[in-house]
Amino acid sequence: MSASSGHFNLLARVLHWSMALMIVAMLFIGVTMVASIHLRPLLIDLHRPLGIAIGLLALLRLYNRLTHRPPPLPADLPAIQKAAALASHWLLYALMLAMPLVGWAMLSAGGYPIVLWSGVQLPAIVPHTPALYATLRSAHSLLAYLLLATVLLHVGAALYHAWVRRDGVFQAMARGGRR
């Protein structure tokens, strides 16, 4: 594992911000997809490949995270906040991996093709089972709510570090600046 230099490496920053945009887009696409009959086909065509892309990028991001030590949190940060930061980051990684897999399994169980783009289709990963489809659909929705809540907490914590503590935590990801 490479040592930390007081900021996140370039790949970590690029993946963080690009995935943040993708995840926020996915949350809006998912909500609109459920609410709009007119836009549903178009949004489904966006939702599936974007979900798979997020899952693949999450794997790359996890590999980068495990091979490049992140900068340490400020020494004066209370232990409970350090624990919350660590737990929330690992929860985000878990959700970025689980959401696409549960979605893929859900579509497989429903007997729906997972078309990424014209001519490229993913294989089913679970058997076609209506009861499993229903369970996975509920799980996918529940995980989406958990992801939304975790993202909102993450953004709140980032803004707290940027505007209240001004301790360099936000800048370490925003610009790669030193703490």
Side-chain angles (χ1 to χ4, degrees), residues 24-160:
V24 168
M26 277 297 266
L27 291 168
F28 280 102
I29 288 169
V31 168
T32 308
M33 190 172 68
V34 172
S36 171
I37 293 172
H38 176 69
L39 294 174
R40 185 174 170 80
L42 170 67
L43 295 176
I44 286 174
D45 288 345
L46 288 172
H47 192 80
R48 291 174 182 169
L50 190 54
I52 296 300
I54 289 170
L56 292 173
L57 289 174
L59 287 172
L60 176 59
R61 190 169 173 185
L62 181 61
Y63 173 78
N64 186 64
R65 169 68 174 77
L66 293 172
T67 58
H68 295 84
R69 182 174 290 133
L73 291 169
D76 66 336
L77 193 67
I80 189 79
Q81 289 182 22
K82 286 182 181 179
L86 183 63
S88 68
H89 280 100
W90 287 111
L91 178 59
L92 284 168
Y93 280 111
L95 290 168
M96 288 185 291
L97 293 168
M99 288 290 297
L101 287 173
V102 170
W104 184 358
M106 175 188 72
L107 293 173
S108 297
Y112 299 106
I114 300 99
V115 178
L116 297 182
W117 54 85
S118 183
V120 178
Q121 183 174 322
L122 295 176
I125 57 171
V126 299
H128 174 60
T129 312
L132 180 58
Y133 171 79
T135 300
L136 290 170
R137 184 177 169 126
S138 294
H140 195 67
S141 295
L142 180 65
L143 289 174
Y145 287 120
L146 180 58
L147 178 61
L148 175 60
T150 308
V151 165
L152 290 174
L153 287 170
H154 183 73
V155 169
L159 294 176
Y160 169 74

